[in-house]
Every structure is written in structure tokens, then in C-alpha cells.
Amino acid sequence: MKTLWICIWLFLLMPALAFAGQTAEPAAETDTVKTGWWVVGMEASNNSSFFGRNTAKRYPYAAPNLTYIHHTGIWASASAYQLFGTEDFIDQADLSVGYSFKVRKRLEVDLSYTHFIFGKNTPLVNASTTDALSARTAYDWKYLYTALTNSYIIGSGNDVFTVLENSRYVPLNPLWQGNLPVGLDPKISVTAGTQHFSETHTTTTTQKKKGSGGGSTGSGPIGGILDPLNPGGSKGPSDGGTTEETTTTTTTTNVSRFRVLNYDLKIPVVVYYGNFEFEPSWRYSIPVNKLEGDESKAQSFYTLSVKYTF
């Protein structure tokens, strides 16, 4: 396991080595056409969540990230999540590959595959997952940017999630005529997905049985109605008449339903400074249709993301 983490950290250090090599090259060679970009990032948040679900206890985290993007649209990414207050050095690692391309000028598609690796004692709600296949489609309506992401999650129970997002970047620097690009990128999203649970049904049935005694039919010519020993043909408890037997059956079945799981409102501030991108954000998450035992609750998430592209 230690060898795996060493490989991941070496992968994270590759951009620094590449950047050092580029600075040593002659100026004439740096004018060649760029074929790819490296993005080194770090994200920190006051709590973690997975498709709107979270644990009752807050787990702040820090997550370094490294991404390589080729000019053809093929990309690869590695992330490591360190939760504060846990036993594992790395609580989660994500290894992803994907392909982004444009269908039309305003229509973009991104296909990706992610493999999850979790620490032995991680408390994350998604620790039972192993892989994810995702397809994201985004369209720019000029006044609104809409993205639809469909994900198939592989793990102990295979699930399907759909996230619909609507956002619009609003530049703020024209307000003070500044040269530093600053803007807001408010986003509203709805998450839906499958839920696995058990349903219990109770069925009660009543059956009538005829007795074997002779008093049920009587000895008279019309069924004992005129029998002086049994006026009116009434059946006593010992006459062997009809009896009722009640049976109760309880059945438990596993059920899977596709329902809305979460509503999100996110307001990030995006600041560009040269090759750096800073994004402090606030997000309010409202989980709905919770199953028994789900400790998720509506709460605020505060996140800071820093990226450097070269």
C-alpha cells in the first residue's frame, strides 16, 4: 500500500520537475506550439459530501490535485483527500481519465472514468464504491449555462446519479474598471439517484373450513330446521359447523427507486491572477427523501480552491 502512495506522490511531483526542465531550455525552443497543459491544484473545505449525502460528524479535508490536458481533449487526473481527525494518512484517492470535445460551438461533452481508492478506516459515505463512469453534457445559452451529468457508480450496490446544473459567470471587474479578472459564478443544481431499501408487506387471509360432525346438516327433511332438538337449525360449538382460520404472512423485498436526493445553491468568487485561479465559495446543500439511518442534514459548505496552469 505504501508503494501505491509513493507512486501517487511522484505523479503529483511530475509537473514541478517538468516546469524546472522548461525553465532551463533556451528561449528559442519555448516558442514551439504547446500540445498540453498541466494544472496543479489544492482544495480545502469544512466538510465532505457525496452526491449531497454526508455524515453526522463534520470531516474537513485538504485535497491536492494534478491534471494533464492534451490539446486533443484527452485528460488524466489524480487527487488525494486527507480528512482531518482520522487515522489514515490518505482517506481517499481518485484516479481519472477522460475525453472532452465540442459537438457544436456551444455544446460540449466530457466522458470520464474514475477509480476510487479508500483508506482502511475512512469514514466517508462513499467508501463502498470502487469505480465511476460519467458523461457530462453542457450547453451555453448565452444567458444561462446548463450542464447535465449522468454517472454510473460501481460498488457494493450499483447506482445511477444525475446532476442538473444551471449557472452563469458574471464578471465584476468592470464595476471598478480593474484589470484583474474577478467574477461570480452562481450555480443551482438538483441531484437525483437510485436508492436501495427494504419494503415489508403484511397480508392477512381468512379461510373457512367445514366440520366433520353430523349436527351440521340436521336430521329433518330440510336440513334439521324442524328438528325439535335443534330449533332453527342453529349450530352449536360441538356441532361440527363452519370454522374460520386466520393466517398472517409478512414478506420483505429489496426495492430500488430513482428519486430526487439533493438541492444545491453554490456561490463562488473566481479570481484570476496570471496563471493562478483562486475560488473561495459558499454552498448550501439540502438533502431530501432520506432513508432510515441517513444522517445527512441541510448545511453550509465553505471551500477554497487554488489552481496553477502551465
Side-chain angles (χ1 to χ4, degrees), residues 36 109 161 183 221 226-227 233:
V109 176
F161 293 96
L226 300 181
D227 188 346

Side-chain angles (χ1 to χ4, degrees), residues 50-52 134-138 146-151 153 160-166 187-193 258-259 261-264:
F50 182 73
F51 287 105
S134 299
R136 182 178 185 269
T137 304
T146 302
L148 180 66
T149 304
N150 295 303
S151 300
I153 309 298
V160 175
F161 293 96
T162 298
V163 181
L164 177 63
E165 303 172 339
N166 284 290
K187 179 184 301 180
I188 297 176
S189 62
V190 180
T191 301
F258 186 84
R259 298 191 292 184
L261 302 178
N262 198 74
Y263 298 98
D264 269 356

